[in-house]
Amino acid sequence: MKKRQTKSKKAILECLQNAGNYGLRADSIEDQLPQFDRVTIYRVLQSFVDDGIIHKVISDNGKFYYFKCQNCGEVHYHHHYHFKCEKCGKVECMDNEIEVKVPLGYTIDSVNFWITGVCSKCKK
């Protein structure tokens, strides 16, 4: 069964796509899209995660960031590092794919690798 494309889904996906490789927190999306309530935003974000359209990672400060990878196509399929700038707080997907070897019979559902430092814009 095909899922319905709603105004909220279109707007939230566009917001994530416009962020490029940078992750957005739900409160940031809420600030950009005040016409949608918090519950709707979280529900749509979780449905995108469940459908593999975006991915969600938890940062070192316990906050979730949502990403629409620019190099994944329609479905997110790879595991990679995330870089968080200690000055501006932006979080970015890194292109480096990670290969994780797990014991035979194990299945990986998600991977969360963080690198912290200073981005090139803040370093100037």
Side-chain angles (χ1 to χ4, degrees):
M1 178 165 72
K2 188 169 176 147
K3 292 189 177 184
R4 212 166 49 108
Q5 184 70 328
T6 63
K7 289 180 184 180
S8 59
K9 286 181 180 180
K10 285 181 184 178
I12 293 168
L13 189 58
E14 185 176 305
C15 195
L16 288 163
Q17 287 172 326
N18 290 341
N21 273 346
Y22 292 103
L24 297 176
R25 293 191 328 255
D27 59 345
S28 173
I29 295 169
E30 189 177 350
D31 291 344
Q32 293 180 47
L33 302 172
Q35 68 270 36
F36 303 112
D37 63 76
R38 179 175 294 164
V39 173
T40 298
I41 290 170
Y42 276 102
R43 188 181 66 245
V44 169
L45 288 170
Q46 189 57 51
S47 75
F48 286 164
V49 170
D50 293 344
D51 293 343
I53 296 168
I54 65 172
H55 68 285
K56 166 176 86 169
V57 294
I58 188 166
S59 74
D60 54 347
N61 63 6
K63 296 188 180 198
F64 286 103
Y65 288 81
Y66 299 87
F67 298 84
K68 172 70 174 118
C69 287
Q70 304 302 306
N71 56 353
C72 285
E74 289 302 311
V75 176
H76 181 265
Y77 64 88
H78 69 280
H79 303 297
H80 53 268
Y81 293 99
H82 296 89
F83 183 91
K84 182 178 180 186
C85 179
E86 294 172 333
K87 287 193 176 187
C88 68
K90 283 197 172 190
V91 178
E92 183 175 1
C93 288
M94 306 302 290
D95 288 333
N96 313 59
E97 192 159 340
I98 301 166
E99 183 179 335
V100 179
K101 295 183 188 235
V102 296
L104 187 63
Y106 284 54
T107 302
I108 297 174
D109 289 326
S110 67
V111 176
N112 190 8
F113 290 102
W114 284 91
I115 301 171
T116 58
V118 179
C119 71
S120 60
K121 289 180 183 175
C122 291
K123 196 169 184 172
K124 290 180 184 177

